[in-house]
């Protein structure tokens, strides 16, 4: 009966309530300009400011209205006004020291301000990546100092992420703190992560095995997805390029009932027009058709406890090869092509236990199914990973304790001899503990220890120690860390390059887990100008020493890739510097440079690592013209020479790549509070790796080696038809093979929605 009365009252009173509803339209500003993406809350209505700081709050009741305004990097503000009509409002926020409001979780497994974290964590927001829009996270990371997306094949365009010169298997990719991308998906899963679901990316450089286990030797990339409660009601982002690429992102935040909030997103990418600008008869870039669907839910629980559940599904069809290839040639030996069908699903979530202590359960599961043909070599593989982790956080006086236990199960099976007798099943239980000790207001010490038991390799112990000092004004921060890491060989990760040529994988021995010791020193300095600008400096020196490093030998035999543990040692060392400049005039600059030396030593012979530059630099320069609603962004990177694999002593290609650079420019125009147009030019210098070379792909005219003659040792012989003694091989690759192109896009955000 009471529900019926409520309904009747609502029906009778709704006209009156409708008449008493008003709107607040306004902007969030700082003396240096507009504040983008600020959150404005009033009653049950939430709005997110656009790039120009503008927002709209609709359907507000008359009377006293309390507003809460917050934005990353700025002090929060509360204000109250009497609402009796539609209102125009300007809100001023004061800037805090950078990092003070940036909350990170990757360094210590708990949410802390970036400034307070004893572990240096780099944070890049979705706004940063919009300066150079790309269809996937893999491409987006190209303008982060010390991080490089590395292409591993000229034909299928497989790739991985290098951190400070260490190859992809040393980098752990997380989504919301969970190891979603690993093993098989390290190669093909990265391109399926769209920017549309990314709120920010956190990067930790150096071993993180104490908290995250295997694969986090070189560092980790943690993709933090949007929270449903902070997502616009509807956002659309579509762009295309002069190479006939099309990328579309659609996302929506919504509420179901009073306690359940949701986020749904879909990404569509299509590139189906092949180009052969270098005239070698092969596609310059892999053709792709990809759909990625993402859904995330959050439940409002008692006492603000967390419960979130998310899922993602990716379907991709990609191929590269001879220009006249089509699917009827798939798996045959008449026209060469590399065709990969990928189906991938992921489910992951977090649940805070309903107990007095702060305990949280993380869980995830994913499956990766791949059906491939590399020329006439078929490759079918399946990988399933399950993950559980329970953490407990307890504060006792000056001690902030975090402990936990984790369990990871990996199932892997393919059609190669590696799993011919039975699929590979790996159990990896582990326990860890860390203690963050506040010595005083300006000094912190963090000590951690992890124990894992790998069902194949046995017990593994990984300790770490971190120290942080900051000046009383928080403008100077010094961090020192030392830690141990380990890595277990992943079958597909180690041998996938062999499938794209005539190379055979040879495991010279039963591979042992790699171990490493890393130390780094990080110093951050902030300088504030009298006019309200800010200059930030972030310098790091790093050193990593490896035992049992797994080495891929491309040089001993051009028909093989030999894997074995290094009997000597390997070193990765270097220095990096980031410069962050923001002026009241509207100029923003983020630039960085890294110098590194990565090599191995065996039998007193020092060998420089393949595919690794000594110097890299990146920049992101932006300028705003508020009067015209216009902004310009100039982004780019530059790399020094890398050592590349040659196939014979007579191979005419140089052993080292030249200096090279990819540069981009973009203009963005605001049209009203919810719409913006953007466009520009990518690869302004029209740089491609084949420039100045006799060829990029070896023996592209004979991809099945039908005309190659071999000597008694199995090596290609020099003949009139093969003057350099080569076999077909696409592994001589160090840069994207896509030239200059224009792009044009549109973004539309419906920024106000009912919370």
């Amino acid at each position: 009966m009471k529900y019926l009365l409520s309904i009747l009252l609502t029906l009778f009173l709704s006209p009156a309530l409708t008449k008493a509803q008003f709107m607040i339209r306004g902007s969030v500003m700082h003396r240096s300009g507009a504040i983008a993406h600020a959150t404005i809350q009033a009653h049950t209505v939430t709005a997110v400011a656009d790039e120009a700081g503008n927002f709209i709050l609709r359907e507000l009741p008359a009377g006293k209205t309390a507003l809460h305004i917050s934005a990353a990097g700025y002090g929060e503000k509360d204000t109250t006004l009497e609402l009796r009509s539609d209102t125009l409002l300007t809100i001023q926020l004061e800037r805090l020291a950078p990092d003070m409001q940036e909350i990170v979780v990757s360094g210590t497994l708990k949410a802390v301000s970036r400034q307070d974290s004893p572990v240096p964590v780099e944070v890049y927001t979705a706004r940063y990546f919009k300066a150079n829009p790309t269809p996937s996270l893999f491409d987006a990371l190209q303008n982060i100092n010390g991080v490089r997306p590395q292409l591993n094949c000229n034909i299928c365009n497989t790739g991985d992420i290098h951190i400070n010169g260490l190859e992809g298997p040393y980098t752990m990719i997380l989504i919301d703190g969970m190891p979603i991308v690993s093993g098989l998906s390290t190669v093909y899963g990265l391109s399926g992560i769209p920017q549309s679901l990314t709120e920010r990316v956190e990067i930790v450089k150096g071993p993180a095995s104490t908290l995250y286990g295997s694969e986090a030797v070189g560092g980790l990339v943690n993709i933090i997805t949007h929270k449903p409660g902070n997502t616009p009601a509807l956002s659309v982002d579509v762009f295309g390029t002069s190479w006939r690429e099309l990328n579309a992102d659609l996302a929506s935040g919504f509420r179901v009932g009073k306690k359940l909030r949701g986020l749904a997103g879909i990404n569509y990418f299509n590139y189906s027009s092949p180009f052969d600008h270098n005239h070698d008869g092969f596609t310059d870039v892999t053709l792709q058709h990809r759909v990625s669907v993402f859904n995330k839910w959050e439940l409002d629980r008692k006492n603000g406890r967390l419960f979130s559940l998310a899922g993602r599904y990716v379907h991709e069809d990609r191929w590269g090869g001879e220009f006249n290839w089509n699917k009827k040639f798939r798996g045959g030996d008449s026209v060469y092509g590399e065709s990969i069908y990928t189906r991938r699903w992921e489910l992951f979530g977090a649940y805070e236990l309903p107990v007095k202590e702060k305990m949280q359960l993380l869980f995830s599961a994913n499956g990766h199914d791949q059906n491939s043909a590399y020329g006439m070599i078929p490759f079918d593989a399946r990988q399933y990973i399950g993950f559980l982790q329970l953490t407990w956080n307890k504060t006792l006086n000056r001690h902030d304790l975090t402990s936990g236990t984790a369990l990871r199960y990996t199932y892997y099976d393919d059609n190669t001899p590696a799993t011919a007798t039975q699929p590979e099943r790996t159990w990896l239980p582990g326990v860890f503990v860390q203690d963050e000790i506040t010595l005083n207001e300006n000094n912190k010490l963090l000590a951690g220890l992890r124990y894992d038991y790998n069902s194949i390799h046995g017990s593994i112990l990984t300790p770490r120690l971190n120290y942080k000092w900051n000046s009383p004004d928080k403008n100077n921060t010094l961090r020192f860390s030392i830690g141990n890491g380990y890595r277990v060989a992943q079958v597909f990760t180690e041998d996938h390059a062999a499938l794209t040529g005539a190379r055979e994988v040879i495991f010279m021995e039963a591979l042992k887990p790699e171990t490493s010791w890393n130390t780094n020193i990080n110093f951050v300095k902030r300088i504030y100008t009298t006019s309200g600008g800010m200059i930030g400096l972030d310098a790091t020196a790093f050193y990593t020493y490896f035992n049992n490093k797994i080495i891929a030998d491309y040089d001993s035999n051009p028909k093989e890739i030999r894997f074995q543990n290094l009997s000597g040692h390997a070193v990765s060392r270097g220095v990096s510097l980031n410069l962050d400049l923001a002026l009241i005039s509207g100029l923003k600059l983020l630039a960085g440079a890294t110098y590194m030396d990565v090599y191995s030593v065996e039998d007193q012979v020092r060998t420089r690592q393949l595919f690794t530059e000594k110097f890299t630099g990146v920049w992101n320069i932006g300028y705003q013209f508020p009067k015209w609603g216009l902004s310009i962004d100039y982004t780019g990177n530059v790399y020094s020479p890398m050592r590349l694999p040659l196939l014979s002593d007579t191979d005419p290609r140089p052993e080292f790549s030249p200096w090279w650079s990819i540069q981009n420019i973009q203009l963005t125009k605001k049209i009203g509070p919810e719409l913006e147009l953007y466009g520009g030019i990518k690869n302004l210098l029209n740089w491609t790796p084949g420039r100045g070379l006799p060829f990029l792909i070896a023996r592209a005219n004979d991809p099945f080696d039908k005309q190659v003659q071999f000597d008694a040792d199995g090596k290609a012989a020099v003949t009139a038809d093969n003057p350099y003694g080569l076999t077909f091989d696409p592994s001589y690759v160090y840069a994207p093979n896509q030239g200059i192109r224009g792009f044009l896009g549109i973004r539309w955000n419906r920024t106000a929605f009912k919370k």
Side-chain angles (χ1 to χ4, degrees):
M1 184 68 180
K2 64 178 181 179
Y3 295 110
L4 179 60
L5 289 174
S6 298
I7 293 172
L8 292 173
L9 285 171
T10 300
L11 291 173
F12 281 109
L13 294 176
S14 58
L17 292 172
T18 301
K19 291 179 181 178
Q21 288 180 341
F22 301 109
M23 176 176 63
I24 298 177
R25 185 188 300 268
S27 58
V28 183
M29 306 293 292
H30 178 259
R31 61 178 181 272
S32 62
I35 301 175
H37 308 305
T39 300
I40 305 93
Q41 294 177 304
H43 296 289
T44 59
V45 181
T46 297
V48 179
D50 62 18
E51 296 285 345
N54 299 319
F55 69 89
I56 301 174
L57 292 166
R58 294 184 172 90
E59 300 179 0
L60 296 174
K64 186 172 292 186
T65 300
L67 295 179
H68 178 75
I69 306 97
S70 61
Y74 297 84
E76 297 184 5
K77 187 172 185 177
D78 292 292
T79 185
T80 302
L81 53 88
E82 190 73 22
L83 196 61
R84 299 196 177 279
S85 63
D86 290 349
T87 302
L88 184 64
L89 189 65
T90 300
I91 301 168
Q92 296 284 339
L93 295 183
E94 292 300 319
R95 190 193 302 275
L96 296 178
D99 302 342
M100 288 295 290
Q101 295 298 312
E102 288 184 301
I103 302 300
V104 297
V105 296
S106 301
T108 58
L109 277 185
K110 63 180 185 293
V112 297
S113 74
R114 184 181 171 196
Q115 167 68 36
D116 288 337
S117 174
V119 180
V121 181
E122 297 182 17
V123 180
Y124 298 89
T125 64
R127 184 180 180 186
Y128 174 84
F129 295 119
K130 287 181 179 179
N132 180 33
T134 60
S136 72
L137 180 76
F138 177 80
D139 302 304
L141 295 176
Q142 63 186 283
N143 286 330
I144 295 179
N145 186 25
V147 178
R148 182 168 64 84
Q150 166 66 34
L151 291 175
N152 296 320
C153 173
N154 271 315
I155 298 176
C156 62
N157 289 170
T158 59
D160 50 32
I161 304 297
H162 290 204
I163 294 181
N164 286 342
L166 297 179
E167 300 101 318
Y170 297 90
T171 301
M172 174 168 276
I173 308 295
L174 309 169
I175 298 182
D176 287 344
M178 281 162 279
I180 294 294
V181 181
S182 60
L184 181 64
S185 57
T186 299
V187 181
Y188 291 106
L190 293 172
S191 60
I193 302 176
Q195 287 193 46
S196 59
L197 66 85
T198 304
E199 178 179 283
R200 69 183 189 276
V201 175
E202 299 181 1
I203 296 176
V204 176
K205 298 174 181 176
S209 296
T210 301
L211 290 182
Y212 295 97
S214 181
E215 298 175 31
V217 176
L220 63 90
V221 178
N222 191 3
I223 303 154
I224 309 298
T225 61
H226 286 294
K227 294 177 69 66
N230 296 334
T231 304
L234 182 64
S235 65
V236 179
D237 190 345
V238 180
F239 74 87
T241 76
S242 58
W243 275 51
R244 303 172 198 167
E245 298 163 294
L246 175 64
N247 185 78
D249 283 315
L250 177 67
S252 175
F254 52 89
R255 176 180 283 277
V256 179
K258 294 182 178 181
K259 294 186 176 183
L260 191 60
R261 294 168 299 186
L263 161 65
I266 184 170
N267 170 258
Y268 175 79
F269 177 74
N270 187 289
Y271 170 57
S272 55
S273 300
F275 288 93
D276 182 22
H277 290 309
N278 60 4
H279 308 294
D280 62 359
F282 277 70
T283 54
D284 291 340
V285 179
T286 301
L287 284 80
Q288 301 175 49
H289 187 199
R290 180 174 64 247
V291 177
S292 176
V293 181
F294 179 75
N295 190 210
K296 185 175 183 178
W297 296 90
E298 283 189 352
L299 179 66
D300 293 335
R301 297 175 59 211
K302 186 177 179 180
N303 298 324
R305 292 190 178 97
L306 172 68
F307 177 58
S308 68
L309 183 66
R312 187 171 72 104
Y313 178 79
V314 181
H315 183 276
E316 182 184 76
D317 177 2
R318 67 162 62 197
W319 75 269
E322 292 188 85
F323 210 68
N324 60 334
W325 185 92
N326 59 55
K327 291 187 178 181
K328 73 179 182 181
F329 299 110
R330 192 175 196 263
D333 64 351
S334 56
V335 179
Y336 188 89
E338 298 183 1
S339 172
I340 302 99
Y341 302 145
T342 299
R343 292 181 300 172
R344 177 174 177 79
W345 60 267
E346 300 164 355
L347 181 68
F348 51 97
Y351 178 75
E352 190 173 342
L353 272 61
V355 295
K356 182 179 179 181
E357 300 293 334
K358 190 170 181 60
M359 302 182 71
Q360 183 170 288
L361 178 69
L362 299 179
F363 53 92
S364 70
N366 63 79
H368 191 107
D369 189 303
Q370 185 172 311
N371 181 314
S372 314
Y374 299 88
M376 60 181 183
I377 302 175
F379 180 78
D380 297 321
R382 287 152 302 283
Q383 177 178 273
Y384 302 100
I385 298 177
F387 173 78
L388 284 172
Q389 179 171 282
L390 179 65
T391 59
W392 173 53
N393 182 247
K394 182 74 172 180
T395 301
L396 298 171
N397 298 322
R398 295 184 301 171
H399 297 265
D400 191 349
L401 296 165
T402 300
S403 60
T405 181
L407 175 64
R408 183 173 173 181
Y409 171 75
T410 302
Y411 171 96
Y412 177 81
D413 188 23
D414 64 26
N415 63 328
T416 71
T419 57
T421 56
Q422 62 179 357
E424 182 181 276
R425 295 179 174 90
T426 306
W427 290 92
L428 187 64
V431 294
F432 57 89
V433 62
Q434 71 174 18
D435 184 9
E436 184 177 320
I437 308 168
T438 302
L439 303 176
N440 54 48
E441 185 178 353
N442 301 320
N443 293 271
K444 282 189 176 182
L445 185 68
L446 184 145
L449 183 66
R450 182 186 182 104
Y451 170 78
D452 286 297
Y453 183 82
N454 186 287
S455 58
I456 297 176
H457 299 285
S459 299
I460 304 172
L461 198 65
T462 49
R464 77 165 173 176
L465 184 69
N466 296 78
Y467 166 76
K468 182 185 78 73
W469 168 88
N470 57 258
S471 59
D473 60 6
K474 307 291 186 181
N475 290 334
N476 301 278
T477 303
L478 177 68
R479 294 180 174 93
F480 171 79
S481 68
I482 183 170
N484 178 245
Y486 77 97
R487 183 175 79 90
V488 177
Q490 292 281 349
V491 175
F492 183 79
T493 302
E494 309 302 338
D495 71 9
H496 78 275
L499 299 168
T500 63
R503 292 178 182 261
E504 180 185 0
V505 174
I506 304 294
F507 288 94
M508 307 298 291
E509 60 185 348
L511 297 179
K512 304 173 185 176
E514 291 184 358
T515 59
S516 68
W517 282 96
N518 169 274
T519 181
N520 68 63
I521 300 175
N522 171 255
F523 178 71
V524 178
K525 173 74 175 179
R526 301 179 187 85
I527 304 169
Y528 297 94
T529 66
T530 56
S531 60
M534 187 276 294
I535 302 172
L537 297 173
D538 188 331
T540 301
F542 57 89
Y543 183 92
T544 306
Y545 185 95
F546 291 91
N547 287 312
N548 293 334
K549 187 172 185 183
I550 300 168
I551 297 291
D553 179 5
Y554 287 80
D555 301 327
S556 297
N557 189 326
K559 296 287 290 181
E560 298 175 347
I561 303 178
R562 300 177 178 179
F563 289 99
Q564 61 183 348
N565 289 110
L566 187 70
S567 61
H569 67 274
V571 171
S572 170
R573 60 185 181 181
V575 293
S576 68
L577 176 66
N578 283 328
L579 170 65
D580 189 358
L581 174 67
L583 300 180
I584 196 171
S585 63
L587 176 66
K588 293 184 178 180
L589 166 67
L590 182 61
T594 299
Y595 176 82
M596 54 194 170
D597 187 19
V598 185
Y599 61 90
S600 60
V601 177
E602 189 169 29
D603 297 328
Q604 299 183 338
V605 177
R606 173 170 162 160
T607 304
R608 180 175 168 181
Q609 181 173 284
L610 285 168
F611 304 111
T612 305
E613 70 280 6
K614 281 186 173 291
F615 174 85
T616 178
V618 299
W619 63 87
N620 186 327
I621 304 173
Y623 192 84
Q624 293 184 348
F625 302 89
K627 183 177 180 181
W628 300 297
L630 188 68
S631 62
I632 184 170
D633 293 285
Y634 173 47
T635 60
N637 49 53
V638 60
Y639 298 100
S640 68
M642 310 174 191
R643 189 170 76 89
L644 303 173
L646 299 180
L647 300 182
S648 70
D649 294 335
T650 55
D651 193 329
R653 297 171 297 181
E655 183 182 4
F656 289 90
S657 66
W659 284 79
W660 60 281
S661 175
I662 302 293
Q663 301 176 26
N664 321 286
I665 193 165
Q666 174 182 259
L667 289 173
T668 304
K669 169 65 178 174
K670 294 290 298 182
I671 303 175
E674 297 181 340
L675 185 67
E676 68 180 22
L677 297 176
Y678 61 93
I681 300 174
K682 291 180 179 287
N683 196 357
L684 282 165
L685 303 180
N686 196 26
W687 170 258
T688 55
R691 179 180 297 181
L693 296 179
F695 51 83
L696 191 61
I697 299 175
R699 295 285 295 176
N701 63 315
D702 182 23
F704 296 100
D705 291 336
K706 293 181 179 180
Q707 306 302 320
V708 177
Q709 299 180 27
F710 297 93
D711 60 21
D713 296 326
K715 296 184 178 181
V718 175
T719 63
D721 181 63
N722 190 7
Y724 304 118
L726 306 179
T727 56
F728 173 73
D729 191 273
S731 62
Y732 189 94
V733 57
Y734 58 91
N737 196 28
Q738 191 172 23
I740 189 171
R741 60 204 183 278
F743 67 96
L744 183 65
I746 184 171
R747 295 189 186 100
W748 179 70
N749 287 282
R750 175 68 172 174
T751 55
F753 64 97
K754 285 191 175 183
K755 188 175 178 182

